[in-house]
Amino acid sequence: MRTYRYFLLLFWVAQPDPTFSTPLSKRTSGFPAKKRALELSGNSKNELNRSKRSWMWNQFFLLEEYTGPGYQYVGKLHSDMDRGDGSLKYILSGDGAGDLFIINENTGDIQATRRLDREKKPVYSLRAQAVNRRTGIPVEPESEFIIKIHDINDNEPIFTKEVYTATVPEMSDVGTFVVQVNATDADDPTYGNSAKVVYSILQGQPYFSVESETGIIKTALINMDRENREQYQVVIQAKDMGGQMGGLSGTTTVNITLTDVNDNPPRFPQSTYQFTTPESSPPGTPVGSIKASDADVGENAAIEYSITEGEGLDMFDVITDQETQEGIITVKKLLDFEKKKVYTLKVEASNPHVEQRFLPLGPFKDSATVKIVVEDVDEPPIFSKLAYVLQIREDAQINTTIGSVTAQDPDAARNPIKYSVDRHTDLDRIFNINSGNGSIFTSKLLDREALLWHNITVIATEINNPKQSSRVPLYIKVLDVNDNAPEFAEFYETFVCEKAKADQLIQTLRAIDKDDPYSGHQFSFSLAPEAASGSNFTIRDNKDNTAGILTRKNGYSRHEMSTYLLPVVISDNDYPVQSSTGTVTVRVCACDHHGNMQSCHAEALVHPTGLSTGALIAILLCIVTLLVTVVLFAALRRQRKKEPLIISKEDIRDNIVSYNDEGGGEEDTQAFDIGTLRNPEAIEDSKLRRDIVPEALFLPRRTPAARDNTDVRDFINQRLKENDADPTAPPYDSLATYAYEGTGSVADSLSSLESVTTEGDQDYDYLSDWGPRFKKLADMYGGADSDKDS
């Protein structure tokens, strides 16, 4: 028969101090008196059994942050199988078992070893079991229970930001939203009021308020003006326990700035301004500046200036400087002190950006009066016109008056004026001017065909102040007079065929005229009276300023008359009539059947058997060439008969011996043979000169032979002395040159040619002392000995 055991778990909540005692929030109803358990028998048959248990608690609470003496008592674990003889042992496992929670294995008492913080861990899950102390076999199934940490108000509210920054427009209505602050409390919001936060304002009244539940900050005062105060610092407090006494609290700072709105109009610091400007100021010259002040900032303080009314509304202008917000008054038109000395303006300053809700406060503009005084300046004379245009006929006589110019001093003094012509514009001095009244007259004759327009400059100068002067351009047009006769447009030379027919057009004539009549050119063409009768050609006037030359008969002969000269009279139709005579050359030529010219020379057909001019010229050239050849041949033969001055080619006294060999250096004497210089016996016996008869006859002297080892310099010096002392040394008019190069160089020769021909060794070690630049050369020559030895 199976044995049934009963296990009882009893839990007591320790209440060491009535202040921290906490009632159980929940407990389970006890298990039924009998509980059926499902077990598996050996013959695989399920049998349902019921075990009797005492009722138990599966959840209880502990107070957090316990500060009492000793450990905090949790409860007691007890089994029905415990008979008090110490045979059972109680075991605790789960969250914090053995460390945070300990159990007395004999009595089953559970205790917490240290203070608990709900904010770190609010719930602990544990398992309890009773086992046989001797065998370690559980006597009851394992039971699970939960320990919840009971919250206390140990955390103050904390704001999400230490400092808040917010802005709100000035002049805002009461209750305008500014910013919302937020604070959190780490306590349990589901238990009591530990986490219920209430907001209040500690600093910032009466300007701002805060909603206690939401933390929304709003404006609390009407018409807060940025120009009076711009920055506000508000301190907000968050307190838990619903704001009740004993609750914890935290604070934050909110920096609130009032932003600008256009609630202030511009204002001039003074109502009247006065400036002065000289009358000579050109348009655009600044006269002065005015500035209105605006308490606003940014675009709300932007100002535009304008001239609304006044005497100088069209004489002055005002410009707004966007950087300095100043109104700069400038000259708009030229001023004249003699006409007006004082101008009064009304200048207005206004805001371009205006908010409609502030318009009832008044107009956002202001005005000021500006008085401008014009100063008198000594001005140069002013001509009555900006430019003068005059006309004169080209046949005008000298000192003919063309016209006049007028200038006067614009100043009140009315200083007298004198006139003159700028000679840089009239270099030929064709015109002159009366210095007193400004009349222009000619000083030379004019020619329209040479220059149609004359552009000169007239100067007007104050007599009392010569520095004050002005200029005016004067354009003089020369009017045409018919003083030029028409003439041919080009030189006309034409031809007529021998087989031409009568009334055949052979040439069209055109004419030009330097004059320029008002009605245009009208030329007439005709033959000169002396050629009109008996002429072989006629002139036909086409009435369009052209004429044609026509044949008057059939057939022309170039043998009878090869050239005709036709005088043509050309007349114009102006007054007085001008005419000229031009000559047209007409040549008679042979033409083909199409009328194309072939030949116009009459001499080619005089005698068919005779010689032409070209043939005669060729014959003359041949004769001249033959004569020149004969003369040159005779001169050469005559030159050959002359005897040469030098009789023998072997005579070295006046011969130049050339040795075209470069040699191996200054001491290289093996490249050429100088034996001729060293062997005087090679010279032939001296012969007498045939070009000059000497005064006395001297016998030639034998020069002793030089030794083989005699230096060339010594040899030449010896010969030089002998020739100087020998009066018979030929020739007397010859130049004897004795050149000597000199001895060898101290540094010796580096020639590769000499090094090849020289068998002796040479030491190039000194090249190593010349520095790093000669290192390569020293290595090349210094290694030569080693190469030879190897």
Side-chain angles (χ1 to χ4, degrees), residues 13-51:
V13 176
Q15 297 181 359
D17 191 343
T19 304
F20 295 97
S21 62
T22 306
L24 297 176
S25 62
K26 181 182 177 183
R27 76 178 186 177
T28 62
S29 59
F31 287 101
K34 294 183 179 180
K35 185 178 180 180
R36 301 177 63 187
L38 184 63
E39 295 181 358
L40 183 62
S41 60
N43 55 6
S44 301
K45 183 179 179 181
N46 295 331
E47 182 178 355
L48 186 61
N49 297 315
R50 184 180 300 272
S51 300

Short mmCIF file of all heavy atoms in Angstrom, two decimals, residues 13-51:
data_model
loop_
_atom_site.label_atom_id
_atom_site.label_comp_id
_atom_site.label_asym_id
_atom_site.label_seq_id
_atom_site.Cartn_x
_atom_site.Cartn_y
_atom_site.Cartn_z
N VAL A 13 4.66 37.27 7.71
CA VAL A 13 5.33 38.53 7.36
C VAL A 13 5.82 39.14 8.66
O VAL A 13 5.04 39.31 9.60
CB VAL A 13 4.35 39.47 6.66
CG1 VAL A 13 5.02 40.81 6.39
CG2 VAL A 13 3.85 38.84 5.38
N ALA A 14 7.09 39.42 8.67
CA ALA A 14 7.68 39.98 9.89
C ALA A 14 7.21 41.40 10.09
O ALA A 14 7.16 42.18 9.15
CB ALA A 14 9.20 39.92 9.81
N GLN A 15 6.88 41.66 11.32
CA GLN A 15 6.43 43.01 11.68
C GLN A 15 7.24 43.49 12.88
O GLN A 15 6.75 43.60 13.99
CB GLN A 15 4.93 43.01 12.01
CG GLN A 15 4.08 42.62 10.83
CD GLN A 15 2.60 42.65 11.18
OE1 GLN A 15 2.24 42.94 12.32
NE2 GLN A 15 1.76 42.34 10.20
N PRO A 16 8.52 43.80 12.63
CA PRO A 16 9.34 44.25 13.75
C PRO A 16 8.99 45.63 14.22
O PRO A 16 9.23 45.99 15.35
CB PRO A 16 10.75 44.20 13.19
CG PRO A 16 10.58 44.38 11.71
CD PRO A 16 9.28 43.73 11.38
N ASP A 17 8.41 46.48 13.31
CA ASP A 17 8.08 47.87 13.68
C ASP A 17 6.72 48.17 13.11
O ASP A 17 6.48 48.00 11.92
CB ASP A 17 9.12 48.84 13.12
CG ASP A 17 8.94 50.22 13.71
OD1 ASP A 17 7.87 50.50 14.26
OD2 ASP A 17 9.90 51.02 13.61
N PRO A 18 5.77 48.59 13.93
CA PRO A 18 4.42 48.85 13.41
C PRO A 18 4.43 49.89 12.31
O PRO A 18 3.55 49.91 11.47
CB PRO A 18 3.67 49.32 14.66
CG PRO A 18 4.44 48.81 15.81
CD PRO A 18 5.85 48.77 15.40
N THR A 19 5.40 50.78 12.26
CA THR A 19 5.42 51.83 11.23
C THR A 19 5.57 51.25 9.85
O THR A 19 5.00 51.72 8.88
CB THR A 19 6.56 52.80 11.52
OG1 THR A 19 6.41 53.33 12.85
CG2 THR A 19 6.56 53.95 10.52
N PHE A 20 6.36 50.20 9.68
CA PHE A 20 6.65 49.60 8.37
C PHE A 20 5.84 48.36 8.11
O PHE A 20 6.11 47.63 7.19
CB PHE A 20 8.15 49.26 8.27
CG PHE A 20 9.00 50.49 8.30
CD1 PHE A 20 9.59 50.89 9.49
CD2 PHE A 20 9.18 51.26 7.16
CE1 PHE A 20 10.37 52.01 9.54
CE2 PHE A 20 9.98 52.37 7.23
CZ PHE A 20 10.59 52.76 8.41
N SER A 21 4.86 48.02 8.99
CA SER A 21 4.06 46.82 8.75
C SER A 21 3.17 47.09 7.57
O SER A 21 2.59 48.17 7.42
CB SER A 21 3.23 46.47 10.00
OG SER A 21 2.33 47.54 10.28
N THR A 22 3.02 46.06 6.71
CA THR A 22 2.25 46.18 5.48
C THR A 22 1.30 45.02 5.38
O THR A 22 1.72 43.87 5.49
CB THR A 22 3.17 46.18 4.25
OG1 THR A 22 4.13 47.22 4.45
CG2 THR A 22 2.39 46.45 2.99
N PRO A 23 0.01 45.27 5.23
CA PRO A 23 -0.93 44.13 5.12
C PRO A 23 -0.73 43.38 3.84
O PRO A 23 -0.25 43.92 2.85
CB PRO A 23 -2.28 44.83 5.17
CG PRO A 23 -2.00 46.22 4.65
CD PRO A 23 -0.64 46.57 5.12
N LEU A 24 -1.07 42.10 3.86
CA LEU A 24 -0.95 41.29 2.66
C LEU A 24 -1.99 41.76 1.65
O LEU A 24 -3.17 41.90 1.95
CB LEU A 24 -1.18 39.82 3.00
CG LEU A 24 -0.15 39.21 3.95
CD1 LEU A 24 -0.55 37.78 4.28
CD2 LEU A 24 1.22 39.28 3.35
N SER A 25 -1.50 41.97 0.45
CA SER A 25 -2.42 42.47 -0.58
C SER A 25 -3.22 41.36 -1.20
O SER A 25 -4.30 41.57 -1.72
CB SER A 25 -1.61 43.19 -1.66
OG SER A 25 -0.70 42.30 -2.28
N LYS A 26 -2.72 40.15 -1.13
CA LYS A 26 -3.43 39.04 -1.76
C LYS A 26 -2.97 37.73 -1.14
O LYS A 26 -1.80 37.58 -0.85
CB LYS A 26 -3.15 39.03 -3.26
CG LYS A 26 -3.87 37.91 -4.00
CD LYS A 26 -3.52 37.93 -5.47
CE LYS A 26 -4.16 36.78 -6.22
NZ LYS A 26 -3.78 36.74 -7.63
N ARG A 27 -3.92 36.85 -0.96
CA ARG A 27 -3.52 35.50 -0.59
C ARG A 27 -4.48 34.53 -1.22
O ARG A 27 -5.64 34.82 -1.43
CB ARG A 27 -3.45 35.32 0.92
CG ARG A 27 -4.77 35.18 1.60
CD ARG A 27 -4.54 34.95 3.07
NE ARG A 27 -5.79 34.66 3.76
CZ ARG A 27 -5.86 34.35 5.05
NH1 ARG A 27 -4.73 34.33 5.76
NH2 ARG A 27 -7.00 34.08 5.62
N THR A 28 -3.96 33.36 -1.47
CA THR A 28 -4.77 32.36 -2.16
C THR A 28 -5.62 31.60 -1.17
O THR A 28 -5.28 31.49 0.01
CB THR A 28 -3.87 31.37 -2.92
OG1 THR A 28 -3.06 30.71 -1.97
CG2 THR A 28 -2.99 32.12 -3.91
N SER A 29 -6.65 31.10 -1.66
CA SER A 29 -7.47 30.20 -0.82
C SER A 29 -6.76 28.89 -0.68
O SER A 29 -6.02 28.48 -1.55
CB SER A 29 -8.84 29.99 -1.48
OG SER A 29 -8.67 29.45 -2.76
N GLY A 30 -6.96 28.20 0.42
CA GLY A 30 -6.25 26.95 0.66
C GLY A 30 -6.65 25.88 -0.32
O GLY A 30 -7.72 25.92 -0.92
N PHE A 31 -5.74 24.95 -0.53
CA PHE A 31 -6.06 23.83 -1.40
C PHE A 31 -7.19 23.02 -0.79
O PHE A 31 -7.38 23.01 0.42
CB PHE A 31 -4.82 22.93 -1.58
CG PHE A 31 -3.79 23.58 -2.47
CD1 PHE A 31 -2.68 24.20 -1.92
CD2 PHE A 31 -3.95 23.56 -3.85
CE1 PHE A 31 -1.74 24.77 -2.71
CE2 PHE A 31 -2.98 24.13 -4.63
CZ PHE A 31 -1.87 24.74 -4.08
N PRO A 32 -7.94 22.27 -1.55
CA PRO A 32 -8.99 21.39 -0.99
C PRO A 32 -8.37 20.39 -0.03
O PRO A 32 -7.17 20.11 -0.08
CB PRO A 32 -9.57 20.72 -2.24
CG PRO A 32 -9.22 21.64 -3.37
CD PRO A 32 -7.92 22.26 -3.01
N ALA A 33 -9.25 19.88 0.83
CA ALA A 33 -8.75 18.93 1.85
C ALA A 33 -8.13 17.74 1.20
O ALA A 33 -7.18 17.17 1.72
CB ALA A 33 -9.90 18.51 2.78
N LYS A 34 -8.65 17.34 0.06
CA LYS A 34 -8.08 16.21 -0.65
C LYS A 34 -7.74 16.64 -2.07
O LYS A 34 -8.53 17.31 -2.72
CB LYS A 34 -9.06 15.05 -0.70
CG LYS A 34 -9.35 14.45 0.69
CD LYS A 34 -10.27 13.26 0.57
CE LYS A 34 -10.55 12.63 1.95
NZ LYS A 34 -11.45 11.45 1.89
N LYS A 35 -6.55 16.27 -2.53
CA LYS A 35 -6.10 16.61 -3.88
C LYS A 35 -5.62 15.36 -4.56
O LYS A 35 -4.83 14.61 -4.02
CB LYS A 35 -4.97 17.61 -3.80
CG LYS A 35 -4.54 18.08 -5.18
CD LYS A 35 -3.44 19.11 -5.05
CE LYS A 35 -2.99 19.60 -6.42
NZ LYS A 35 -1.93 20.59 -6.32
N ARG A 36 -6.17 15.18 -5.74
CA ARG A 36 -5.82 13.98 -6.48
C ARG A 36 -4.52 14.21 -7.21
O ARG A 36 -4.33 15.24 -7.87
CB ARG A 36 -6.92 13.64 -7.48
CG ARG A 36 -8.28 13.41 -6.80
CD ARG A 36 -9.36 13.14 -7.82
NE ARG A 36 -9.07 11.94 -8.55
CZ ARG A 36 -9.77 11.51 -9.62
NH1 ARG A 36 -10.80 12.22 -10.04
NH2 ARG A 36 -9.46 10.38 -10.23
N ALA A 37 -3.58 13.25 -7.10
CA ALA A 37 -2.30 13.34 -7.80
C ALA A 37 -2.24 12.26 -8.84
O ALA A 37 -2.72 11.15 -8.64
CB ALA A 37 -1.14 13.18 -6.82
N LEU A 38 -1.61 12.57 -9.98
CA LEU A 38 -1.51 11.64 -11.09
C LEU A 38 -0.15 10.98 -11.04
O LEU A 38 0.87 11.65 -11.08
CB LEU A 38 -1.71 12.37 -12.43
CG LEU A 38 -1.74 11.49 -13.68
CD1 LEU A 38 -2.94 10.53 -13.61
CD2 LEU A 38 -1.84 12.35 -14.93
N GLU A 39 -0.16 9.64 -10.86
CA GLU A 39 1.11 8.93 -10.82
C GLU A 39 1.06 7.79 -11.83
O GLU A 39 -0.01 7.30 -12.20
CB GLU A 39 1.35 8.35 -9.41
CG GLU A 39 1.51 9.42 -8.35
CD GLU A 39 1.78 8.79 -7.01
OE1 GLU A 39 1.80 7.55 -6.93
OE2 GLU A 39 1.99 9.56 -6.04
N LEU A 40 2.20 7.31 -12.27
CA LEU A 40 2.33 6.22 -13.25
C LEU A 40 2.83 4.96 -12.53
O LEU A 40 3.89 4.96 -11.93
CB LEU A 40 3.33 6.63 -14.36
CG LEU A 40 3.51 5.66 -15.50
CD1 LEU A 40 2.18 5.48 -16.24
CD2 LEU A 40 4.58 6.14 -16.45
N SER A 41 1.95 3.86 -12.57
CA SER A 41 2.30 2.60 -11.88
C SER A 41 3.22 1.79 -12.77
O SER A 41 3.43 2.11 -13.94
CB SER A 41 1.03 1.80 -11.55
OG SER A 41 0.33 1.50 -12.75
N GLY A 42 3.64 0.61 -12.23
CA GLY A 42 4.56 -0.24 -12.96
C GLY A 42 3.92 -0.93 -14.12
O GLY A 42 4.57 -1.27 -15.08
N ASN A 43 2.58 -1.21 -14.05
CA ASN A 43 1.91 -1.86 -15.18
C ASN A 43 1.32 -0.86 -16.14
O ASN A 43 0.38 -1.18 -16.88
CB ASN A 43 0.84 -2.83 -14.66
CG ASN A 43 -0.15 -2.10 -13.74
OD1 ASN A 43 -0.07 -0.89 -13.58
ND2 ASN A 43 -1.07 -2.85 -13.14
N SER A 44 1.87 0.34 -16.16
CA SER A 44 1.45 1.41 -17.08
C SER A 44 -0.02 1.74 -16.96
O SER A 44 -0.71 2.05 -17.92
CB SER A 44 1.76 1.01 -18.55
OG SER A 44 3.11 0.77 -18.73
N LYS A 45 -0.57 1.73 -15.75
CA LYS A 45 -1.96 2.08 -15.50
C LYS A 45 -2.00 3.34 -14.67
O LYS A 45 -1.34 3.44 -13.67
CB LYS A 45 -2.65 0.93 -14.74
CG LYS A 45 -4.13 1.20 -14.50
CD LYS A 45 -4.75 0.03 -13.77
CE LYS A 45 -6.23 0.27 -13.49
NZ LYS A 45 -6.87 -0.87 -12.75
N ASN A 46 -2.75 4.34 -15.20
CA ASN A 46 -2.85 5.63 -14.52
C ASN A 46 -3.84 5.51 -13.36
O ASN A 46 -4.92 4.97 -13.50
CB ASN A 46 -3.33 6.72 -15.48
CG ASN A 46 -2.30 6.96 -16.56
OD1 ASN A 46 -1.12 6.76 -16.32
ND2 ASN A 46 -2.73 7.39 -17.72
N GLU A 47 -3.42 6.08 -12.25
CA GLU A 47 -4.29 6.07 -11.07
C GLU A 47 -4.27 7.46 -10.46
O GLU A 47 -3.22 8.05 -10.27
CB GLU A 47 -3.76 5.07 -10.05
CG GLU A 47 -4.67 4.98 -8.83
CD GLU A 47 -4.15 3.94 -7.83
OE1 GLU A 47 -3.16 3.26 -8.19
OE2 GLU A 47 -4.69 3.84 -6.75
N LEU A 48 -5.40 8.02 -10.21
CA LEU A 48 -5.55 9.36 -9.68
C LEU A 48 -5.66 9.29 -8.17
O LEU A 48 -6.53 8.62 -7.64
CB LEU A 48 -6.80 10.03 -10.27
CG LEU A 48 -6.99 11.51 -9.91
CD1 LEU A 48 -5.82 12.34 -10.40
CD2 LEU A 48 -8.31 11.99 -10.51
N ASN A 49 -4.71 9.97 -7.44
CA ASN A 49 -4.70 9.99 -5.99
C ASN A 49 -4.81 11.43 -5.49
O ASN A 49 -4.37 12.35 -6.14
CB ASN A 49 -3.40 9.37 -5.44
CG ASN A 49 -3.30 7.90 -5.84
OD1 ASN A 49 -4.30 7.17 -5.71
ND2 ASN A 49 -2.12 7.47 -6.27
N ARG A 50 -5.30 11.69 -4.36
CA ARG A 50 -5.47 13.03 -3.76
C ARG A 50 -4.61 13.09 -2.50
O ARG A 50 -4.69 12.23 -1.65
CB ARG A 50 -6.93 13.28 -3.44
CG ARG A 50 -7.20 14.69 -2.92
CD ARG A 50 -8.66 14.87 -2.61
NE ARG A 50 -9.47 14.66 -3.77
CZ ARG A 50 -9.79 15.60 -4.65
NH1 ARG A 50 -9.29 16.81 -4.46
NH2 ARG A 50 -10.55 15.34 -5.68
N SER A 51 -3.78 14.17 -2.41
CA SER A 51 -2.94 14.38 -1.22
C SER A 51 -3.53 15.49 -0.38
O SER A 51 -3.97 16.52 -0.92
CB SER A 51 -1.50 14.75 -1.61
OG SER A 51 -0.94 13.71 -2.37
#
